[in-house]
Amino acid sequence: MKVAGVFLAAISAGMAFSSPAKVGPPGVHLESIHGGDWKIIISNPDLEFWSPAKLDYKLTIWKNSSYPEKKTLDVFSGQAIPDLEPEKTYCLTVKGREENSIPSPEICIKTLKAWSGLPRPENLHIYALNMKYILYWNNTYDGNVSFTVQLLLGYHTKMSPDISKNWLSVAGCENIQTMHCDFSSAVAFHGIYYFRVQAVHNNNKSPWSKMLKFEPKDDNVLGAPSVTVNASEDSLNIDIAFPGESEKNDMNKVYGLTYRVHYWMESSSYSKKIKEGTTSISISGLVADTSYCLKVQAYSLEYQKSSKFSNVTCTKTIKGKPSHFKNGVAFLIALAVCVVTACLIVATYKFSQQLKHVFFPSCHLPKFLQSPEGNMNSSILSVPEEETESCIVIADNHLPNDVNTIDFKNSQNSEEISQDSGTYSSYDSISGHNNTPDQKTV
């Protein structure tokens, strides 16, 4: 039995260990503050086990009546409970935002009489356009009343056990006479802030206004871009000034803006849309001497924000040139191209000749070898024709026996050769007559 009891206890412990731990009820303390308000202080007995995110609380409050209407809202430790009616009994509980949080015990209080002093500023609202931030509130005062504006950094709402000690005055918005405060330079784009305002007249101070939360990256509004349009014969050139450029706030850099351009013929309701990523856009392929209208919108893909459209701008494209003028221009261009081409060819030829003269110079004959005309003197180089002898061979086999062959040869050497008009003839030194038909010239 003892073993079984230990076993069952172990199972129960295991089941308890596997289930999520409950977050104990926070401690709640209420304090009456200036103006008849109540400040709530929240603490947790096991705070050392909580992460900073667990300092978020939910307040449930209701009037103590027969038919209570409960209201739940976020609350921070050290915050004044808003919208309490005077001389009423309210009950409340507080718990962490986690589902496994245990609510605090119910606490009931009775509010004080209505405040009769300087009224608190009301209806706080922020004008946030193109990263210029201005806080406004209602003017419900008579006389010389000044105002002080304070802000609370958002991380204090999760870290501080009493945010009433963490408020800071906004530079340039202390003891001001106006009903607005420009706090653009006091906040960062990615921060979370809370604001409150107090009125002061002589030595009298109003209760602080209700807190107003402000998150620039979500609450800032993109203004319409400014547009300048220049027209040509068939296109529109659009220059865009991004939102906030006139205030020297670089919205392009912060938001990574792109631009949508809607344009249409003024005489038609048909609209075209293009998207560009720069501040300079050209729309081509338009009809000459035609009026076009357009409007431009800025868009941030990263933050899913769109600006308002710019004012509609209508511009007429330039009237086209006459056809004969265009033909004349085309002819002149073609002529110019031909002249330039011809000049290039001539220049290239001249240049090649110069290169040839430099690298391959021509050789000239000495003057004594040249004729007066500059050519080679052929008389100097001519070779006289060599004189030749004419020989006659007598092929007659009936020569006289008394002719000696040796004598014939000797007499042949003394024979004269005559030439007349290119015809050769031989004289028979032996007989004194011309050769017979049987003679053969060799």
Short mmCIF file of all heavy atoms in Angstrom, two decimals, residues 47-104:
data_model
loop_
_atom_site.label_atom_id
_atom_site.label_comp_id
_atom_site.label_asym_id
_atom_site.label_seq_id
_atom_site.Cartn_x
_atom_site.Cartn_y
_atom_site.Cartn_z
N LEU A 47 7.79 38.29 -9.31
CA LEU A 47 8.27 39.12 -10.40
C LEU A 47 9.62 38.66 -10.94
O LEU A 47 9.92 38.82 -12.11
CB LEU A 47 8.36 40.58 -9.94
CG LEU A 47 8.71 41.62 -11.01
CD1 LEU A 47 7.66 41.62 -12.10
CD2 LEU A 47 8.86 43.01 -10.40
N GLU A 48 10.45 38.03 -10.05
CA GLU A 48 11.76 37.60 -10.51
C GLU A 48 11.67 36.50 -11.55
O GLU A 48 12.62 36.23 -12.28
CB GLU A 48 12.61 37.13 -9.32
CG GLU A 48 12.08 35.92 -8.57
CD GLU A 48 11.11 36.30 -7.45
OE1 GLU A 48 10.62 37.45 -7.48
OE2 GLU A 48 10.85 35.47 -6.57
N PHE A 49 10.53 35.85 -11.66
CA PHE A 49 10.36 34.79 -12.65
C PHE A 49 9.68 35.28 -13.92
O PHE A 49 9.47 34.51 -14.84
CB PHE A 49 9.56 33.62 -12.05
CG PHE A 49 10.22 33.01 -10.85
CD1 PHE A 49 9.71 33.25 -9.57
CD2 PHE A 49 11.35 32.24 -10.98
CE1 PHE A 49 10.32 32.68 -8.46
CE2 PHE A 49 11.96 31.68 -9.87
CZ PHE A 49 11.45 31.90 -8.60
N TRP A 50 9.32 36.55 -13.96
CA TRP A 50 8.61 37.10 -15.12
C TRP A 50 9.59 37.75 -16.07
O TRP A 50 10.56 38.37 -15.67
CB TRP A 50 7.60 38.17 -14.66
CG TRP A 50 6.32 37.60 -14.11
CD1 TRP A 50 6.17 36.48 -13.37
CD2 TRP A 50 5.03 38.17 -14.25
NE1 TRP A 50 4.88 36.28 -13.03
CE2 TRP A 50 4.14 37.31 -13.55
CE3 TRP A 50 4.53 39.29 -14.88
CZ2 TRP A 50 2.77 37.54 -13.47
CZ3 TRP A 50 3.16 39.54 -14.80
CH2 TRP A 50 2.30 38.67 -14.11
N SER A 51 9.31 37.60 -17.33
CA SER A 51 10.06 38.36 -18.33
C SER A 51 9.45 39.75 -18.42
O SER A 51 8.32 39.96 -17.99
CB SER A 51 9.99 37.66 -19.69
OG SER A 51 8.66 37.70 -20.18
N PRO A 52 10.19 40.74 -18.98
CA PRO A 52 9.63 42.10 -19.07
C PRO A 52 8.31 42.15 -19.80
O PRO A 52 7.45 42.97 -19.49
CB PRO A 52 10.72 42.87 -19.82
CG PRO A 52 11.98 42.14 -19.50
CD PRO A 52 11.59 40.70 -19.41
N ALA A 53 8.11 41.27 -20.79
CA ALA A 53 6.85 41.29 -21.54
C ALA A 53 5.67 40.94 -20.65
O ALA A 53 4.53 41.28 -20.94
CB ALA A 53 6.93 40.32 -22.71
N LYS A 54 5.91 40.27 -19.53
CA LYS A 54 4.83 39.87 -18.64
C LYS A 54 4.40 40.99 -17.70
O LYS A 54 3.59 40.76 -16.82
CB LYS A 54 5.23 38.62 -17.86
CG LYS A 54 5.39 37.39 -18.75
CD LYS A 54 5.72 36.15 -17.96
CE LYS A 54 5.84 34.94 -18.88
NZ LYS A 54 6.19 33.71 -18.15
N LEU A 55 4.97 42.19 -17.87
CA LEU A 55 4.52 43.33 -17.09
C LEU A 55 3.36 44.03 -17.77
O LEU A 55 3.00 45.14 -17.41
CB LEU A 55 5.68 44.32 -16.87
CG LEU A 55 6.78 43.81 -15.94
CD1 LEU A 55 7.87 44.86 -15.81
CD2 LEU A 55 6.25 43.44 -14.57
N ASP A 56 2.77 43.39 -18.77
CA ASP A 56 1.55 43.90 -19.39
C ASP A 56 0.36 43.37 -18.60
O ASP A 56 0.27 42.16 -18.30
CB ASP A 56 1.44 43.44 -20.84
CG ASP A 56 2.47 44.12 -21.72
OD1 ASP A 56 2.99 45.17 -21.31
OD2 ASP A 56 2.76 43.60 -22.81
N TYR A 57 -0.55 44.29 -18.29
CA TYR A 57 -1.69 43.90 -17.45
C TYR A 57 -2.99 44.30 -18.10
O TYR A 57 -3.07 45.25 -18.88
CB TYR A 57 -1.59 44.57 -16.07
CG TYR A 57 -0.34 44.20 -15.30
CD1 TYR A 57 0.73 45.09 -15.25
CD2 TYR A 57 -0.24 43.00 -14.62
CE1 TYR A 57 1.88 44.78 -14.54
CE2 TYR A 57 0.91 42.68 -13.91
CZ TYR A 57 1.97 43.56 -13.88
OH TYR A 57 3.10 43.25 -13.18
N LYS A 58 -4.04 43.58 -17.69
CA LYS A 58 -5.41 43.88 -18.08
C LYS A 58 -6.19 44.28 -16.84
O LYS A 58 -6.18 43.58 -15.83
CB LYS A 58 -6.06 42.66 -18.73
CG LYS A 58 -5.54 42.30 -20.11
CD LYS A 58 -6.09 43.25 -21.15
CE LYS A 58 -5.75 42.79 -22.56
NZ LYS A 58 -6.27 43.73 -23.58
N LEU A 59 -6.85 45.44 -16.95
CA LEU A 59 -7.69 45.93 -15.86
C LEU A 59 -9.15 45.71 -16.23
O LEU A 59 -9.60 46.14 -17.30
CB LEU A 59 -7.43 47.42 -15.62
CG LEU A 59 -8.40 48.15 -14.68
CD1 LEU A 59 -8.26 47.64 -13.25
CD2 LEU A 59 -8.19 49.65 -14.75
N THR A 60 -9.89 45.06 -15.35
CA THR A 60 -11.35 44.92 -15.51
C THR A 60 -12.02 45.73 -14.42
O THR A 60 -11.78 45.51 -13.23
CB THR A 60 -11.77 43.45 -15.42
OG1 THR A 60 -11.07 42.69 -16.42
CG2 THR A 60 -13.27 43.29 -15.63
N ILE A 61 -12.84 46.70 -14.82
CA ILE A 61 -13.44 47.63 -13.87
C ILE A 61 -14.93 47.79 -14.17
O ILE A 61 -15.35 47.71 -15.34
CB ILE A 61 -12.71 49.00 -13.92
CG1 ILE A 61 -13.18 49.91 -12.79
CG2 ILE A 61 -12.83 49.65 -15.28
CD1 ILE A 61 -12.33 51.17 -12.63
N TRP A 62 -15.70 48.03 -13.13
CA TRP A 62 -17.13 48.21 -13.29
C TRP A 62 -17.69 49.00 -12.11
O TRP A 62 -17.07 49.08 -11.04
CB TRP A 62 -17.83 46.85 -13.40
CG TRP A 62 -17.70 46.01 -12.15
CD1 TRP A 62 -18.60 45.93 -11.11
CD2 TRP A 62 -16.62 45.13 -11.81
NE1 TRP A 62 -18.16 45.07 -10.16
CE2 TRP A 62 -16.93 44.55 -10.57
CE3 TRP A 62 -15.43 44.78 -12.45
CZ2 TRP A 62 -16.10 43.64 -9.93
CZ3 TRP A 62 -14.61 43.87 -11.81
CH2 TRP A 62 -14.93 43.30 -10.57
N LYS A 63 -18.84 49.63 -12.34
CA LYS A 63 -19.54 50.33 -11.27
C LYS A 63 -20.24 49.31 -10.38
O LYS A 63 -20.80 48.32 -10.88
CB LYS A 63 -20.56 51.32 -11.82
CG LYS A 63 -19.98 52.53 -12.50
CD LYS A 63 -21.10 53.44 -12.99
CE LYS A 63 -20.56 54.64 -13.75
NZ LYS A 63 -21.66 55.50 -14.26
N ASN A 64 -20.22 49.59 -9.11
CA ASN A 64 -20.89 48.70 -8.16
C ASN A 64 -22.38 49.02 -8.16
O ASN A 64 -22.84 49.94 -7.49
CB ASN A 64 -20.31 48.89 -6.76
CG ASN A 64 -20.82 47.82 -5.78
OD1 ASN A 64 -21.44 46.84 -6.21
ND2 ASN A 64 -20.57 48.03 -4.49
N SER A 65 -23.10 48.29 -8.99
CA SER A 65 -24.54 48.54 -9.14
C SER A 65 -25.25 47.22 -9.34
O SER A 65 -24.63 46.15 -9.41
CB SER A 65 -24.80 49.49 -10.31
OG SER A 65 -24.36 48.90 -11.52
N SER A 66 -26.56 47.30 -9.48
CA SER A 66 -27.34 46.07 -9.66
C SER A 66 -27.05 45.43 -11.03
O SER A 66 -27.11 44.20 -11.18
CB SER A 66 -28.84 46.38 -9.55
OG SER A 66 -29.12 46.93 -8.29
N TYR A 67 -26.78 46.23 -11.99
CA TYR A 67 -26.50 45.71 -13.33
C TYR A 67 -25.13 46.25 -13.79
O TYR A 67 -25.06 47.18 -14.61
CB TYR A 67 -27.60 46.11 -14.31
CG TYR A 67 -28.96 45.63 -13.88
CD1 TYR A 67 -29.83 46.51 -13.22
CD2 TYR A 67 -29.37 44.32 -14.13
CE1 TYR A 67 -31.08 46.09 -12.81
CE2 TYR A 67 -30.63 43.88 -13.73
CZ TYR A 67 -31.47 44.77 -13.07
OH TYR A 67 -32.71 44.33 -12.66
N PRO A 68 -24.08 45.69 -13.27
CA PRO A 68 -22.74 46.23 -13.60
C PRO A 68 -22.37 45.94 -15.07
O PRO A 68 -22.69 44.89 -15.62
CB PRO A 68 -21.82 45.48 -12.64
CG PRO A 68 -22.52 44.20 -12.36
CD PRO A 68 -23.99 44.52 -12.38
N GLU A 69 -21.73 46.90 -15.65
CA GLU A 69 -21.20 46.77 -17.02
C GLU A 69 -19.69 46.80 -16.94
O GLU A 69 -19.08 47.86 -16.70
CB GLU A 69 -21.71 47.91 -17.90
CG GLU A 69 -21.27 47.78 -19.36
CD GLU A 69 -21.81 48.92 -20.21
OE1 GLU A 69 -22.69 49.65 -19.74
OE2 GLU A 69 -21.34 49.04 -21.36
N LYS A 70 -19.08 45.65 -17.13
CA LYS A 70 -17.63 45.53 -16.98
C LYS A 70 -16.91 46.05 -18.23
O LYS A 70 -17.37 45.85 -19.35
CB LYS A 70 -17.23 44.08 -16.71
CG LYS A 70 -17.72 43.56 -15.37
CD LYS A 70 -17.20 42.16 -15.08
CE LYS A 70 -17.63 41.70 -13.69
NZ LYS A 70 -17.10 40.36 -13.36
N LYS A 71 -15.80 46.69 -17.98
CA LYS A 71 -14.97 47.23 -19.07
C LYS A 71 -13.53 46.77 -18.84
O LYS A 71 -13.02 46.88 -17.71
CB LYS A 71 -15.05 48.75 -19.08
CG LYS A 71 -14.24 49.40 -20.19
CD LYS A 71 -14.53 50.89 -20.27
CE LYS A 71 -14.11 51.62 -19.02
NZ LYS A 71 -14.26 53.10 -19.15
N THR A 72 -12.92 46.25 -19.88
CA THR A 72 -11.54 45.74 -19.80
C THR A 72 -10.63 46.60 -20.67
O THR A 72 -10.97 46.89 -21.83
CB THR A 72 -11.46 44.28 -20.25
OG1 THR A 72 -12.31 43.48 -19.41
CG2 THR A 72 -10.03 43.75 -20.15
N LEU A 73 -9.50 46.99 -20.12
CA LEU A 73 -8.55 47.83 -20.86
C LEU A 73 -7.14 47.52 -20.41
O LEU A 73 -6.92 46.97 -19.31
CB LEU A 73 -8.87 49.30 -20.67
CG LEU A 73 -8.77 49.87 -19.25
CD1 LEU A 73 -8.41 51.35 -19.30
CD2 LEU A 73 -10.08 49.68 -18.50
N ASP A 74 -6.18 47.87 -21.27
CA ASP A 74 -4.77 47.72 -20.90
C ASP A 74 -4.41 48.78 -19.87
O ASP A 74 -4.89 49.92 -19.93
CB ASP A 74 -3.87 47.89 -22.13
CG ASP A 74 -4.07 46.78 -23.14
OD1 ASP A 74 -4.43 45.66 -22.73
OD2 ASP A 74 -3.87 47.04 -24.35
N VAL A 75 -3.55 48.40 -18.93
CA VAL A 75 -3.14 49.32 -17.90
C VAL A 75 -1.68 49.08 -17.55
O VAL A 75 -1.19 47.94 -17.63
CB VAL A 75 -4.05 49.17 -16.64
CG1 VAL A 75 -3.83 47.82 -15.96
CG2 VAL A 75 -3.84 50.32 -15.67
N PHE A 76 -0.99 50.14 -17.19
CA PHE A 76 0.42 50.05 -16.78
C PHE A 76 0.53 50.45 -15.31
O PHE A 76 -0.25 51.29 -14.82
CB PHE A 76 1.29 50.99 -17.62
CG PHE A 76 1.08 50.82 -19.10
CD1 PHE A 76 0.65 51.88 -19.87
CD2 PHE A 76 1.31 49.60 -19.72
CE1 PHE A 76 0.45 51.74 -21.23
CE2 PHE A 76 1.11 49.45 -21.07
CZ PHE A 76 0.68 50.51 -21.84
N SER A 77 1.48 49.88 -14.66
CA SER A 77 1.69 50.23 -13.26
C SER A 77 2.12 51.68 -13.14
O SER A 77 3.06 52.12 -13.79
CB SER A 77 2.76 49.32 -12.66
OG SER A 77 2.96 49.61 -11.30
N GLY A 78 1.41 52.43 -12.31
CA GLY A 78 1.67 53.86 -12.14
C GLY A 78 0.78 54.73 -13.00
O GLY A 78 0.90 55.96 -12.97
N GLN A 79 -0.13 54.15 -13.74
CA GLN A 79 -1.01 54.91 -14.62
C GLN A 79 -2.25 55.37 -13.86
O GLN A 79 -2.76 54.67 -12.98
CB GLN A 79 -1.42 54.04 -15.81
CG GLN A 79 -2.41 54.70 -16.76
CD GLN A 79 -2.82 53.77 -17.89
OE1 GLN A 79 -2.22 52.70 -18.07
NE2 GLN A 79 -3.85 54.16 -18.63
N ALA A 80 -2.75 56.55 -14.23
CA ALA A 80 -4.01 57.03 -13.68
C ALA A 80 -5.16 56.33 -14.38
O ALA A 80 -5.17 56.21 -15.61
CB ALA A 80 -4.13 58.54 -13.85
N ILE A 81 -6.12 55.85 -13.61
CA ILE A 81 -7.28 55.16 -14.19
C ILE A 81 -8.17 56.21 -14.85
O ILE A 81 -8.62 57.16 -14.20
CB ILE A 81 -8.07 54.39 -13.12
CG1 ILE A 81 -7.15 53.37 -12.44
CG2 ILE A 81 -9.26 53.69 -13.74
CD1 ILE A 81 -7.81 52.65 -11.29
N PRO A 82 -8.44 56.06 -16.14
CA PRO A 82 -9.18 57.11 -16.85
C PRO A 82 -10.70 56.98 -16.70
O PRO A 82 -11.23 55.90 -16.40
CB PRO A 82 -8.75 56.91 -18.31
CG PRO A 82 -8.50 55.43 -18.40
CD PRO A 82 -7.97 55.01 -17.05
N ASP A 83 -11.38 58.10 -16.93
CA ASP A 83 -12.84 58.14 -17.11
C ASP A 83 -13.63 57.67 -15.88
O ASP A 83 -14.66 56.99 -16.01
CB ASP A 83 -13.26 57.31 -18.34
CG ASP A 83 -12.61 57.81 -19.61
OD1 ASP A 83 -12.43 59.02 -19.76
OD2 ASP A 83 -12.26 56.96 -20.47
N LEU A 84 -13.17 58.03 -14.71
CA LEU A 84 -13.93 57.70 -13.50
C LEU A 84 -14.88 58.85 -13.18
O LEU A 84 -14.47 60.03 -13.16
CB LEU A 84 -13.00 57.45 -12.32
CG LEU A 84 -12.07 56.23 -12.44
CD1 LEU A 84 -11.22 56.10 -11.18
CD2 LEU A 84 -12.84 54.95 -12.70
N GLU A 85 -16.13 58.55 -12.91
CA GLU A 85 -17.11 59.56 -12.56
C GLU A 85 -16.96 59.90 -11.07
O GLU A 85 -16.60 59.06 -10.25
CB GLU A 85 -18.52 59.06 -12.86
CG GLU A 85 -18.76 58.79 -14.35
CD GLU A 85 -20.16 58.25 -14.61
OE1 GLU A 85 -20.98 58.27 -13.65
OE2 GLU A 85 -20.42 57.81 -15.74
N PRO A 86 -17.24 61.15 -10.73
CA PRO A 86 -17.11 61.52 -9.32
C PRO A 86 -18.20 60.89 -8.44
O PRO A 86 -19.32 60.64 -8.89
CB PRO A 86 -17.25 63.05 -9.34
CG PRO A 86 -18.04 63.35 -10.56
CD PRO A 86 -17.63 62.29 -11.57
N GLU A 87 -17.82 60.61 -7.21
CA GLU A 87 -18.72 60.10 -6.18
C GLU A 87 -19.44 58.83 -6.62
O GLU A 87 -20.64 58.66 -6.41
CB GLU A 87 -19.73 61.17 -5.77
CG GLU A 87 -19.08 62.40 -5.15
CD GLU A 87 -20.09 63.42 -4.67
OE1 GLU A 87 -20.68 64.12 -5.52
OE2 GLU A 87 -20.28 63.49 -3.44
N LYS A 88 -18.67 57.93 -7.23
CA LYS A 88 -19.20 56.63 -7.64
C LYS A 88 -18.30 55.54 -7.05
O LYS A 88 -17.11 55.74 -6.82
CB LYS A 88 -19.23 56.50 -9.16
CG LYS A 88 -20.12 57.50 -9.88
CD LYS A 88 -21.60 57.22 -9.59
CE LYS A 88 -22.48 58.21 -10.37
NZ LYS A 88 -23.93 57.98 -10.13
N THR A 89 -18.91 54.39 -6.83
CA THR A 89 -18.15 53.25 -6.32
C THR A 89 -17.80 52.34 -7.49
O THR A 89 -18.67 51.91 -8.26
CB THR A 89 -18.96 52.47 -5.27
OG1 THR A 89 -19.25 53.34 -4.16
CG2 THR A 89 -18.16 51.27 -4.77
N TYR A 90 -16.50 52.07 -7.59
CA TYR A 90 -16.00 51.20 -8.65
C TYR A 90 -15.29 50.00 -8.03
O TYR A 90 -14.63 50.11 -6.99
CB TYR A 90 -15.01 51.95 -9.55
CG TYR A 90 -15.64 52.97 -10.47
CD1 TYR A 90 -15.82 54.29 -10.04
CD2 TYR A 90 -16.05 52.63 -11.75
CE1 TYR A 90 -16.39 55.23 -10.87
CE2 TYR A 90 -16.63 53.58 -12.59
CZ TYR A 90 -16.79 54.87 -12.15
OH TYR A 90 -17.37 55.80 -12.98
N CYS A 91 -15.44 48.87 -8.70
CA CYS A 91 -14.73 47.66 -8.30
C CYS A 91 -13.85 47.23 -9.47
O CYS A 91 -14.20 47.44 -10.65
CB CYS A 91 -15.70 46.55 -7.92
SG CYS A 91 -16.72 46.95 -6.48
N LEU A 92 -12.72 46.56 -9.15
CA LEU A 92 -11.78 46.21 -10.22
C LEU A 92 -10.95 45.00 -9.83
O LEU A 92 -10.78 44.69 -8.63
CB LEU A 92 -10.88 47.39 -10.56
CG LEU A 92 -10.03 48.00 -9.43
CD1 LEU A 92 -8.70 47.29 -9.27
CD2 LEU A 92 -9.82 49.49 -9.65
N THR A 93 -10.43 44.34 -10.85
CA THR A 93 -9.43 43.28 -10.69
C THR A 93 -8.37 43.48 -11.78
O THR A 93 -8.63 44.08 -12.81
CB THR A 93 -10.04 41.88 -10.83
OG1 THR A 93 -10.58 41.73 -12.14
CG2 THR A 93 -11.11 41.63 -9.76
N VAL A 94 -7.18 42.93 -11.51
CA VAL A 94 -6.06 43.03 -12.46
C VAL A 94 -5.45 41.65 -12.64
O VAL A 94 -5.31 40.88 -11.68
CB VAL A 94 -4.99 44.02 -11.95
CG1 VAL A 94 -3.81 44.07 -12.92
CG2 VAL A 94 -5.59 45.42 -11.77
N LYS A 95 -5.07 41.34 -13.87
CA LYS A 95 -4.37 40.09 -14.15
C LYS A 95 -3.38 40.32 -15.29
O LYS A 95 -3.47 41.29 -16.05
CB LYS A 95 -5.36 38.98 -14.55
CG LYS A 95 -6.16 39.28 -15.79
CD LYS A 95 -7.01 38.09 -16.24
CE LYS A 95 -6.13 36.99 -16.80
NZ LYS A 95 -6.91 35.88 -17.38
N GLY A 96 -2.43 39.42 -15.39
CA GLY A 96 -1.50 39.49 -16.50
C GLY A 96 -2.19 39.15 -17.81
O GLY A 96 -3.29 38.59 -17.83
N ARG A 97 -1.55 39.47 -18.91
CA ARG A 97 -2.16 39.22 -20.21
C ARG A 97 -2.16 37.75 -20.58
O ARG A 97 -2.89 37.34 -21.49
CB ARG A 97 -1.40 40.02 -21.29
CG ARG A 97 -1.51 41.53 -21.13
CD ARG A 97 -0.64 42.24 -22.15
NE ARG A 97 -1.10 42.00 -23.50
CZ ARG A 97 -1.95 42.78 -24.16
NH1 ARG A 97 -2.43 43.86 -23.58
NH2 ARG A 97 -2.31 42.50 -25.38
N GLU A 98 -1.36 36.92 -19.90
CA GLU A 98 -1.30 35.50 -20.22
C GLU A 98 -2.59 34.80 -19.82
O GLU A 98 -3.25 35.18 -18.84
CB GLU A 98 -0.11 34.84 -19.52
CG GLU A 98 1.25 35.27 -20.02
CD GLU A 98 1.61 36.66 -19.56
OE1 GLU A 98 0.98 37.14 -18.58
OE2 GLU A 98 2.48 37.30 -20.16
N GLU A 99 -2.94 33.79 -20.57
CA GLU A 99 -4.18 33.06 -20.31
C GLU A 99 -4.13 32.33 -18.98
O GLU A 99 -5.17 32.10 -18.35
CB GLU A 99 -4.45 32.07 -21.45
CG GLU A 99 -4.75 32.74 -22.78
CD GLU A 99 -5.07 31.73 -23.85
OE1 GLU A 99 -5.03 30.51 -23.54
OE2 GLU A 99 -5.35 32.13 -24.99
N ASN A 100 -2.93 31.92 -18.56
CA ASN A 100 -2.82 31.16 -17.32
C ASN A 100 -2.60 32.06 -16.11
O ASN A 100 -2.21 31.59 -15.03
CB ASN A 100 -1.68 30.14 -17.40
CG ASN A 100 -0.35 30.79 -17.71
OD1 ASN A 100 -0.31 31.88 -18.27
ND2 ASN A 100 0.75 30.13 -17.35
N SER A 101 -2.86 33.38 -16.27
CA SER A 101 -2.70 34.31 -15.15
C SER A 101 -3.92 34.25 -14.23
O SER A 101 -5.07 34.11 -14.70
CB SER A 101 -2.52 35.75 -15.64
OG SER A 101 -1.34 35.86 -16.41
N ILE A 102 -3.67 34.38 -12.96
CA ILE A 102 -4.75 34.40 -11.97
C ILE A 102 -5.06 35.86 -11.64
O ILE A 102 -4.15 36.64 -11.35
CB ILE A 102 -4.33 33.65 -10.69
CG1 ILE A 102 -4.02 32.18 -11.04
CG2 ILE A 102 -5.43 33.73 -9.63
CD1 ILE A 102 -3.46 31.40 -9.88
N PRO A 103 -6.32 36.29 -11.71
CA PRO A 103 -6.65 37.69 -11.41
C PRO A 103 -6.47 38.02 -9.93
O PRO A 103 -6.52 37.15 -9.06
CB PRO A 103 -8.11 37.81 -11.83
CG PRO A 103 -8.65 36.42 -11.76
CD PRO A 103 -7.52 35.51 -12.10
N SER A 104 -6.24 39.30 -9.69
CA SER A 104 -6.10 39.76 -8.31
C SER A 104 -7.46 39.74 -7.60
O SER A 104 -8.51 39.69 -8.25
CB SER A 104 -5.55 41.18 -8.30
OG SER A 104 -6.50 42.07 -8.86
#
